Each structure stands twice: as C-alpha cells, then as structure tokens.
Amino acid sequence: MTPPARNSEHLRAVAEYRRAKTMARAIQALEEFESLGESISISAICKRAGVSRTWLYGEPELIARAARLTSLPKDQVPNSQRATENSNRTRLEAALARNRELAEENRQLRQQLARALGRLREESRRSGSSPNL
C-alpha cells in the first residue's frame, strides 16, 4: 500500500499565489478609484476588483483605503453624483403618494375583514356553534 500523497506544499503555494493575485486586483481597483477622486461604495470597489465584501473587510489596510473613498466630504462629491433638491422633493412626493395609497388599501382591507368577521359571527349565532377564529 502506498502512502497518501503530501499535497500540502502545493496547496499552500497555490493559496499564496491566489491571494497575491486577488490582492493585486484589489489594490489596482483602489488606485483607479483614488485617481478619480470620487466618492465610491465598497460594493463598487469589490465589483471592480472581483473580490467579495467579506474578503475585503478581512484586509485591514485595504479597507482603510476603501473607507477613505466612501467618505469624501460632500463638497468633494461630484455634482453628477449628488441628488438635487428637486429630485429629492420628487422622490419624497412619490413616497408620500405611495404611503397614501397603501393607507387607503389598508383601510379597505380592514373594512372587508370586519364585514367577514361580522358575517361569521352571525352565522355562528344562527347555527348555535362557536366561530372558528
């Protein structure tokens, strides 16, 4: 019987190679975003680098660099990324209209439920049994 192969050295070498390639992609993505000088999200950095958020958050030096990119002061955020007062107002008005629609739907459903429960109680009184609520 032959002894099992010892692949741990090869596995370690492959893991180190993959980590180095992943680190290089992450650093390159960060450098690209840093050169733009724009505020960007952690998700965008991960997408550009082809890494998971979990992996990035496990690299303290990289996450510190990434955090700086996600927290630029408002005056450094490009106008193209800022919401205007009109767009904010439009979004708020749409949300309020949807809220009114949902409130009306909720009111109608409560009325339907009350009528259904009333019918159920009436039927149980007539039959002399207790309602199954």
Side-chain angles (χ1 to χ4, degrees):
M1 180 188 261
T2 59
R6 304 275 179 187
N7 291 335
S8 59
E9 290 176 36
H10 299 292
L11 292 174
R12 188 175 9 267
V14 168
E16 288 174 11
Y17 172 77
R18 287 181 60 195
R19 185 179 189 291
K21 295 284 281 183
T22 304
M23 183 68 77
R25 286 194 324 267
I27 290 170
Q28 181 180 357
L30 284 167
E31 288 172 352
E32 289 172 6
F33 283 125
E34 286 172 339
S35 70
L36 296 173
E38 298 178 353
S39 179
I40 197 72
S41 69
I42 295 292
S43 294
I45 294 166
C46 291
K47 186 175 183 178
R48 168 89 46 103
V51 300
S52 70
R53 291 171 56 107
T54 303
W55 183 87
L56 185 61
Y57 280 110
E59 300 295 329
E61 289 180 22
L62 296 181
I63 201 65
R65 283 177 72 177
R68 285 192 297 275
L69 292 173
T70 62
S71 62
L72 287 175
K74 186 176 182 179
D75 62 341
Q76 289 183 2
V77 176
N79 286 336
S80 63
Q81 291 183 356
R82 283 190 220 153
T84 65
E85 188 174 323
N86 285 338
S87 69
N88 283 336
R89 184 176 297 113
T90 301
R91 291 172 66 196
L92 178 59
E93 288 170 357
L96 288 171
R98 179 68 178 141
N99 191 30
R100 283 190 292 275
E101 290 171 10
L102 291 172
E104 176 59 22
E105 183 181 346
N106 190 11
R107 186 189 65 74
Q108 291 173 2
L109 290 170
R110 285 176 182 268
Q111 286 179 348
Q112 288 175 6
L113 179 61
R115 285 192 293 271
L117 288 173
R119 283 191 300 270
L120 184 61
R121 280 192 210 106
E122 185 60 34
E123 289 173 13
S124 67
R125 267 192 236 132
R126 286 187 202 145
S127 66
S129 64
S130 63
N132 294 328
L133 300 178

